[in-house]
Amino acid sequence: MKEPDDHDTDEGKSDRSQSSTRQSLGSSQTISRSVTKEDDKVSEDITDETLTEGEKSYLVDDDSDEEHLEGSSSSFQDDYQESTGESRYMKTPGSATEEAEEEVKKKISETFFYDYIQLVSVPYVTLDSNIPLDLLTLVHSFGYDCKKRANLQLLDGSTCMYIAGNQLILLNLKTKQQIYLRSSSSRGIGVIGVHPDKTYFTVAEKGISPDIIIYGYPSLRPYRILRDGTDLGYAYVDFNSSGTLLASVGGNPDYTLTIWNWKEEQPILRTKAFSQEVFKVTFNPEDDAQLTTSGSGHIKFWGMAQTFTGLKLQGSLGRFGKTTTTDIEGYMELPDGKVVSGSEWGNMLVWEAGLIKVELCRTGSKSCHQGPINQIMLDEGEVITAGSDGCVRIWDFETIDTADIIDDTGLLEIEPINELQVDKNVKLFSMIKMNETGNNVWLAQDSSGAIWKLDLSFSNITQDPECLFSFHSGAIEALAVSPVTYLMATTALDRSVRIYDFASKTPLTHVKFKQGGTALAWVPRLVSYTGAQIVVGFEDGVVRILELYDPKGLTIFAGRKKFLDADLHLKHVFKPHTTYITALAFERDGEILATGSKDKTVFFFEVEKDYKPIGYITTPEPVCQLMWSGVSHPDSTLLIICENNYVLEAPFPTIREEEDDHDAVSYEIKDMCIKCFHFSSVKSKIVRLIEIEKRKRRKELKEKEKEERKKRLAAEMGKDGEMESQEEEEEEEEEEKEEPLPEIFIPSTPCRILCGFYSGPGKFWLSLGGYDAGFLYHCEFPPYDKSSNITEKKDEPFDFRFLEDAEDNPIHTITFSFNQDMMFCGMQDGAIRIYLLRQDDSSLTSMEHYWHFSIHDNNYGCIKGISTSYDDRFLVTIGADSNIFVFSIFSVYELQKSMRAKVPSPRFGIETEPIPEDIEDPKAYSIENARRKREHDKLMKEVEEIKAKKREQLKSLRNQFQKLLQMNEELPKHMQFKRTVS
């Protein structure tokens, strides 16, 4: 295998332009602060190198692989001056012929802190909307981004922290309470780190030229802000052993390595770390001048060295030689300068002078771990390795430190001192020691979806591994909320189905299957009055009906001690599809269950008869969403949204008699009258119309200005002025050349339909991705035509709604409040957008004002599900970043309270009138529903009375018949009637 180039080049760090994001999103560049003058002192430069503005990074292409970059410190000053209007630095006069301008910097006060409220990002709200910023308030987070590198840090013996989308969560391990710190950039958090003294922690943001914010602990106040360390996001941060320096490495595209004097918010050295992804950077614990970086197909060794031009970073790329090139996740610096790293195949590599000295394996050439080694640590004279095989192994330090090759294989066989297999299906990603007195206890990040507590004392009183928290691993595919209480269910491709009580912030139970879950629906109350059943679709085409119950209500048997708060019972299982189930939907009366799949079929089941199959229909493309029409529609129809441009409408299926069904050879329904809408892109036409309207308004405005100018000049200068103005206008008309209108464009590959919903009988709204993003499209089904070819026909929307700032950020999922006055949108970049609507506004004419806030990870946290609780008090979101967030919704009643109205005068005698009995039960019937219930009960009573009368008649006839039989028996035999069999 070919190795990466030993000398990676750097084209220089480009000037970064700050993003023109909304002011209300709380960019950290808008912070203002003051520095106490009596604390201003001149600080000594840590480096002899002067950082001058505009200098580029160059790699010295020699055998030592030396690299350096002289970055800009004055750019930090410029950014600060833009935001505060004052400078933190005092410049000393200098000659214009000098190569670099020397700067004397003010020392930042040790007691200075930023204001978190001014620093943190806040939601965006459209102007003049009166929408409160706290429309949503984060209540709890049930997810954990377990696949994110170094996403488990320890602040003290009882508090750990991790990143969850745009929030940093501080979790108390004993009480399980959560504290939230929001991102300042509103573009997410890249990585976190902790100071060796546990008195500070770093939050490295994402976004355009993101900041590194250092918070004090336990005060949680922003202490320092490091700017311009990377282009788009940070991959890793690390303090040196004394905590005076901070190293950071950026992600794609720049991979910039920066050494900071973080207390003075100053970069000391900066260079490009590598040309491919860098996973990690660390200081050598024994020598601050030595650093190591590792990543995709490389490891690199760095040293700070004094040269004739000043302090430089010199990097030496590790050469794999005969060893296969590998990604390196875990490594450890030894006190003598050697480095031990892991490999993808599970062996340890000992590096010395940039070369592999020896490769360590187990006896019989067995690998040290089955799979990648993700972390290597030196603790109390022992080497600890943690791998994706779920094992922790302890190795003798002296054996590794003195290891050397003994033959041409380059391998040296060693055996671990101790080992711990945490559990089945565990993939250890990172570990951190808890520093409990007298104990050897560690916290472990499991990329399979857990946080473990591990005892590595290996004594006769060693405790078994304890799973402290269990989560989904990877993207969460589906969400369903109970129609009667504060329960929700989620499922993912990690093969688990989980139940949560989101009101009490409690995970209740979970169950695992052989295949990943892909779709969910809570069975409606018309089918299961207690709301105890959920339907789950899986990636293998199987559908399972699960029943939720409280096991403490069961009969207690001898020997049973521990009871869960909830449990799931498998009630039904059937397989209607051959692959990935994408959608499940119950008909409005609960009579039919429809299931959709990527196998381009929709299957119908009769719910009342234990989900007896009715039949299936085929679709032109894979199904992505199913929705039955509501009670406002005259007929019950099914909206079928396919991935690529096709939307179908199926009527209520005809249920065949058992005799006819028994003789059928196939379940396919071929005689169903299915309407089809084949979406044709109209975005370019819309853009063209918008441009025509803009030009028309611009022209009218210019004409108006010309008329006013003409009148003004005529009044001032008479006829000469009129002639001059005419000449000026003619010159302007000659100079102005109108640009051609945007061309009509139809994408060659159809854009994917992401979601949709009914707006009325035969009408629906769609959200699309790709080129067609940025609008909601209102469509209508054409009349059913059996002879038409749906692949050839093209249908266009008849209306649209513009979505602000959604050109590259389409809506992926939509839900509504119970009263239809709020439309909740889950965006591709992980943000929540809420539009306030008028009630019964299916045409979205009032869709103007909205609330927008980044919640999930902006890069890979697309919102895959969004739902309100049964009473609209809570909103729940799930994302592709493994996160689950629960929010409380600002009450519409509270929202209306801020409006003022004239209070009518009191009616005479009102104070003496008796107070009627109040209705406080939220489940109480409305007047209309109470009447319907009363009529229903009356009808049922009449039916029961009729049944009772019939029973009495039958009873009387039976008695008469018995008497006749007895009389017949008493007659002589020749006179008796004989019974005959017909």
Side-chain angles (χ1 to χ4, degrees):
M1 182 180 290
K2 188 177 180 181
E3 295 183 17
D5 294 338
D6 291 341
H7 302 283
D8 39 19
T9 59
D10 186 3
E11 296 299 330
K13 195 162 184 67
S14 60
D15 295 333
R16 302 184 182 92
S17 58
Q18 297 289 348
S19 63
S20 57
T21 52
R22 307 180 184 93
Q23 184 177 358
S24 61
L25 287 178
S27 170
S28 60
Q29 299 295 335
T30 61
I31 285 298
S32 62
R33 71 174 203 175
S34 60
V35 180
T36 310
K37 290 185 178 179
E38 46 266 38
D39 288 333
D40 292 343
K41 297 178 181 179
V42 178
S43 64
E44 296 180 357
D45 289 338
I46 297 180
T47 171
D48 295 336
E49 181 181 14
T50 303
L51 302 176
T52 59
E53 184 175 3
E55 289 190 29
K56 296 183 177 179
S57 166
Y58 301 96
L59 290 179
V60 180
D61 194 10
D62 57 13
D63 293 337
S64 66
D65 197 20
E66 181 185 273
E67 309 183 40
H68 71 275
L69 180 146
E70 297 175 3
S72 166
S73 63
S74 59
S75 64
F76 290 83
Q77 177 187 3
D78 295 340
D79 289 343
Y80 187 82
Q81 282 181 293
E82 286 178 11
S83 61
T84 64
E86 59 175 309
S87 173
R88 288 183 294 167
Y89 310 121
M90 296 174 58
K91 291 187 178 181
T92 56
S95 170
T97 59
E98 291 179 350
E99 292 184 3
E101 201 177 30
E102 292 191 8
E103 297 176 348
V104 180
K105 307 172 185 66
K106 290 184 179 181
K107 185 176 178 65
I108 302 175
S109 170
E110 288 285 339
T111 59
F112 172 78
F113 285 90
Y114 290 90
D115 184 354
Y116 172 78
I117 300 301
Q118 292 182 343
L119 181 68
V120 71
S121 62
V122 296
Y124 169 76
V125 175
T126 50
L127 295 175
D128 303 323
S129 63
N130 295 323
I131 301 175
L133 287 178
D134 57 346
L135 182 61
L136 292 186
T137 302
L138 180 60
V139 173
H140 196 72
S141 169
F142 283 110
Y144 175 49
D145 195 349
C146 59
K147 296 181 184 293
K148 190 177 185 69
R149 194 169 284 110
N151 198 24
L152 181 64
Q153 301 289 340
L154 197 64
L155 291 170
D156 55 40
S158 61
T159 307
C160 70
M161 67 176 184
Y162 54 87
I163 302 165
N166 270 258
Q167 289 74 227
L168 177 69
I169 296 183
L170 280 72
L171 174 63
N172 189 303
L173 298 171
K174 296 177 181 177
T175 65
K176 299 184 180 180
Q177 290 184 335
Q178 298 178 351
I179 297 174
Y180 312 106
L181 293 177
R182 292 204 301 269
S183 161
S184 67
S185 66
S186 78
R187 302 303 300 169
I189 301 172
V191 70
I192 51 178
V194 178
H195 191 274
D197 297 337
K198 312 290 186 186
T199 52
Y200 304 99
F201 61 87
T202 63
V203 178
E205 302 274 345
K206 294 194 292 186
I208 305 297
S209 295
D211 297 334
I212 299 177
I213 303 175
I214 292 122
Y215 289 84
Y217 184 77
S219 69
L220 305 184
R221 297 169 64 193
Y223 187 59
R224 294 292 183 265
I225 300 177
L226 311 181
R227 299 177 173 88
D228 285 344
T230 189
D231 283 345
L232 296 177
Y234 290 93
Y236 208 88
V237 292
D238 183 58
F239 286 96
N240 63 346
S241 57
S242 61
T244 57
L245 300 177
L246 178 72
S248 68
V249 64
N252 186 51
D254 58 306
Y255 309 116
T256 301
L257 171 63
T258 309
I259 312 299
W260 305 85
N261 175 5
W262 64 271
K263 283 199 173 181
E264 295 302 319
E265 300 184 351
Q266 289 298 313
I268 300 171
L269 295 170
R270 179 183 291 148
T271 187
K272 187 180 179 77
F274 198 60
S275 58
Q276 299 180 52
E277 185 179 5
V278 182
F279 301 157
K280 192 174 179 181
V281 58
T282 56
F283 285 95
N284 188 318
E286 305 294 330
D287 185 359
D288 292 345
Q290 302 290 326
L291 297 97
T292 306
T293 60
S294 74
S296 178
H298 78 282
I299 187 169
K300 206 164 188 179
F301 313 102
W302 300 88
M304 299 185 205
Q306 285 287 349
T307 67
F308 67 94
T309 57
L311 188 66
K312 306 290 181 185
L313 265 175
Q314 295 177 336
S316 175
L317 187 65
R319 301 174 189 272
F320 286 92
K322 295 179 181 180
T323 306
T324 304
T325 303
T326 176
D327 295 349
I328 295 179
E329 282 281 357
Y331 65 81
M332 172 193 69
E333 297 96 344
L334 299 179
D336 59 2
K338 293 196 293 290
V339 173
V340 179
S341 79
S343 63
E344 292 178 80
W345 55 87
N347 281 347
M348 288 185 281
L349 309 176
V350 181
W351 298 83
E352 187 175 30
L355 300 171
I356 296 176
K357 181 182 180 184
V358 64
E359 181 176 347
L360 303 177
C361 64
R362 298 181 70 178
T363 304
S365 297
K366 185 180 177 182
S367 58
C368 298
H369 283 267
Q370 296 298 315
I373 298 176
N374 294 323
Q375 192 167 4
I376 304 178
M377 300 151 287
L378 180 61
D379 182 67
E380 298 180 0
E382 295 177 333
V383 176
I384 303 174
T385 59
S388 292
D389 56 359
C391 287
V392 179
R393 292 193 169 97
I394 313 298
W395 312 82
D396 179 61
F397 168 75
E398 290 295 332
T399 304
I400 293 176
D401 191 35
T402 58
D404 205 347
I405 55 174
I406 55 175
D407 53 35
D408 294 339
T409 63
L411 297 173
L412 178 65
E413 296 180 348
I414 63 172
E415 282 297 311
I417 302 170
N418 283 302
E419 65 179 343
L420 172 67
Q421 175 72 50
V422 177
D423 203 357
K424 293 180 180 179
N425 302 318
V426 169
K427 297 180 180 179
L428 297 177
F429 203 16
S430 69
M431 291 173 54
I432 188 164
K433 195 171 185 179
M434 295 188 70
N435 292 325
E436 293 183 359
T437 306
N439 293 326
N440 191 8
V441 179
W442 296 69
L443 278 186
Q445 174 184 348
D446 176 9
S447 62
S448 292
I451 296 176
W452 292 84
K453 184 178 180 181
L454 307 179
D455 184 353
L456 301 185
S457 59
F458 296 103
S459 65
N460 55 0
I461 58 171
T462 298
Q463 296 181 357
D464 291 335
E466 179 185 358
C467 182
L468 298 179
F469 303 94
S470 178
F471 310 91
H472 279 298
S473 173
I476 303 171
E477 296 295 323
L479 162 73
V481 175
S482 167
V484 296
T485 187
Y486 300 119
L487 292 175
M488 68 173 174
T490 58
T491 191
L493 294 178
D494 64 2
R495 300 176 296 169
S496 68
V497 177
R498 296 174 183 267
I499 307 294
Y500 304 91
D501 175 356
F502 54 84
S504 65
K505 309 172 185 177
T506 308
L508 294 180
T509 187
H510 72 275
V511 62
K512 286 208 168 188
F513 295 93
K514 296 294 184 181
Q515 297 292 326
T518 56
L520 265 178
W522 209 289
V523 177
R525 295 190 70 183
L526 289 168
V527 179
S528 173
Y529 183 76
T530 58
Q533 295 179 14
I534 59 174
V535 184
V536 190
F538 292 83
E539 59 183 335
D540 60 351
V542 170
V543 173
R544 291 180 175 89
I545 314 296
L546 304 178
E547 187 169 4
L548 181 67
Y549 67 97
D550 184 355
K552 293 190 287 295
L554 299 175
T555 304
I556 299 176
F557 295 97
R560 294 183 64 176
K561 297 179 180 179
K562 189 175 179 181
F563 294 93
L564 298 172
D565 292 327
D567 207 349
L568 287 167
H569 168 71
L570 181 62
K571 189 173 178 64
H572 295 288
V573 58
F574 43 91
K575 188 175 180 178
H577 300 283
T578 58
T579 186
Y580 203 106
I581 291 176
T582 55
L584 301 163
F586 281 91
E587 190 264 338
R588 64 192 185 190
D589 294 325
E591 296 181 17
I592 303 294
L593 170 66
T595 65
S597 170
K598 285 192 172 181
D599 66 3
K600 302 181 182 181
T601 63
V602 175
F603 220 113
F604 299 96
F605 296 88
E606 192 176 358
V607 175
E608 190 178 2
K609 296 185 177 179
D610 290 338
Y611 298 92
K612 176 180 174 291
I614 298 170
Y616 72 89
I617 59 173
T618 58
T619 61
E621 292 290 340
V623 178
C624 69
Q625 186 181 353
L626 297 176
M627 176 180 285
W628 287 94
S629 58
V631 293
S632 61
H633 294 229
D635 299 316
S636 184
T637 56
L638 179 64
L639 185 70
I640 305 169
I641 298 177
C642 302
E643 287 183 359
N644 296 327
N645 290 84
Y646 290 96
V647 183
L648 310 177
E649 184 178 57
F652 192 94
T654 302
I655 301 174
R656 291 181 289 185
E657 296 295 332
E658 290 189 14
E659 294 80 10
D660 299 335
D661 190 47
H662 181 74
D663 296 332
V665 295
S666 173
Y667 280 108
E668 185 175 4
I669 305 172
K670 296 183 178 180
D671 56 351
M672 186 176 282
C673 299
I674 301 173
K675 294 180 181 179
C676 178
F677 185 93
H678 190 185
F679 185 91
S680 179
S681 177
V682 293
K683 182 176 179 178
S684 60
K685 294 181 182 179
I686 294 173
V687 172
R688 188 184 181 96
L689 287 173
I690 292 173
E691 181 62 27
I692 290 171
E693 287 296 319
K694 281 183 180 178
R695 293 185 184 186
K696 183 180 178 181
R697 288 195 298 269
R698 199 183 304 132
K699 189 175 181 181
E700 290 173 353
L701 184 62
K702 283 185 178 180
E703 289 294 334
K704 187 177 179 181
E705 289 175 351
K706 285 178 184 179
E707 287 296 326
E708 291 177 355
R709 188 166 63 248
K710 183 178 178 181
K711 290 178 181 179
R712 188 173 61 252
L713 289 171
E716 292 176 358
M717 304 179 66
K719 292 183 179 180
D720 294 338
E722 289 182 16
M723 293 176 62
E724 287 179 13
S725 65
Q726 287 176 5
E727 291 173 0
E728 289 175 4
E729 288 172 6
E730 289 172 3
E731 289 176 3
E732 286 179 7
E733 288 175 2
E734 289 178 3
E735 290 176 2
E736 287 183 6
K737 288 185 179 180
E738 204 171 58
E739 294 182 3
L741 290 169
E743 295 181 0
I744 300 298
F745 171 76
I746 305 294
S748 57
T749 303
C751 297
R752 184 182 174 191
I753 301 176
L754 302 176
C755 66
F757 57 92
Y758 266 122
S759 61
K763 297 179 181 180
F764 54 94
W765 288 94
L766 294 178
S767 172
L768 281 82
Y771 171 77
D772 288 315
F775 295 89
L776 281 182
Y777 300 96
H778 204 182
C779 311
E780 184 173 13
F781 286 109
Y784 173 69
D785 183 3
K786 186 177 182 180
S787 61
S788 66
N789 187 343
I790 62 173
T791 60
E792 294 179 357
K793 66 194 290 283
K794 297 288 184 181
D795 302 303
E796 293 186 352
F798 67 88
D799 197 6
F800 65 90
R801 294 290 177 268
F802 173 68
L803 301 173
E804 187 178 356
D805 291 334
E807 184 82 17
D808 300 314
N809 183 29
I811 297 173
H812 270 251
T813 180
I814 295 175
T815 192
F816 289 87
S817 61
F818 180 78
N819 293 325
Q820 304 286 307
D821 54 1
M822 287 189 186
M823 184 171 78
F824 301 94
C825 307
M827 313 298 286
Q828 181 172 289
D829 69 349
I832 297 175
R833 181 174 291 190
I834 305 174
Y835 286 94
L836 297 190
L837 308 173
R838 291 193 301 268
Q839 289 190 21
D840 301 321
D841 183 16
S842 60
S843 297
L844 305 183
T845 54
S846 59
M847 183 178 157
E848 179 183 359
H849 298 298
Y850 66 89
W851 181 97
H852 182 103
F853 196 33
S854 294
I855 299 296
H856 292 263
D857 189 276
N858 294 75
N859 299 111
Y860 56 90
C862 171
I863 295 182
K864 307 204 62 158
I866 186 167
S867 181
T868 59
S869 62
Y870 76 99
D871 58 359
D872 278 351
R873 290 188 178 183
F874 295 95
L875 180 75
V876 184
T877 65
I878 58 170
D881 57 355
S882 302
N883 286 311
I884 305 170
F885 294 118
V886 180
F887 303 88
S888 63
I889 302 174
F890 196 103
S891 168
V892 177
Y893 169 71
E894 292 292 332
L895 218 137
Q896 293 173 345
K897 268 191 4 180
S898 61
M899 304 176 186
R900 295 184 65 87
K902 186 179 184 304
V903 180
S905 301
R907 180 168 46 83
F908 179 76
I910 192 171
E911 69 278 4
T912 60
E913 291 182 358
I915 299 173
E917 184 180 355
D918 196 6
I919 300 175
E920 296 180 345
D921 185 359
K923 298 179 182 178
Y925 290 108
S926 66
I927 295 174
E928 177 66 17
N929 288 340
R931 169 174 281 188
R932 290 185 178 185
K933 180 70 166 57
R934 188 165 60 249
E935 290 298 317
H936 178 267
D937 292 344
K938 182 180 177 182
L939 180 62
M940 294 303 293
K941 185 179 179 181
E942 290 175 356
V943 170
E944 288 298 327
E945 288 176 354
I946 293 170
K947 287 181 179 178
K949 288 179 181 179
K950 293 292 185 185
R951 290 191 191 102
E952 287 297 326
Q953 291 176 2
L954 288 171
K955 185 178 179 182
S956 176
L957 290 171
R958 267 195 214 98
N959 291 335
Q960 292 179 25
F961 182 67
Q962 290 296 331
K963 288 179 181 179
L964 290 172
L965 289 176
Q966 188 177 354
M967 290 171 62
N968 186 57
E969 289 288 335
E970 293 173 355
L971 292 172
K973 285 190 177 181
H974 68 279
M975 298 179 64
Q976 290 181 3
F977 286 101
K978 295 182 179 179
R979 294 194 181 191
T980 58
V981 180
S982 58

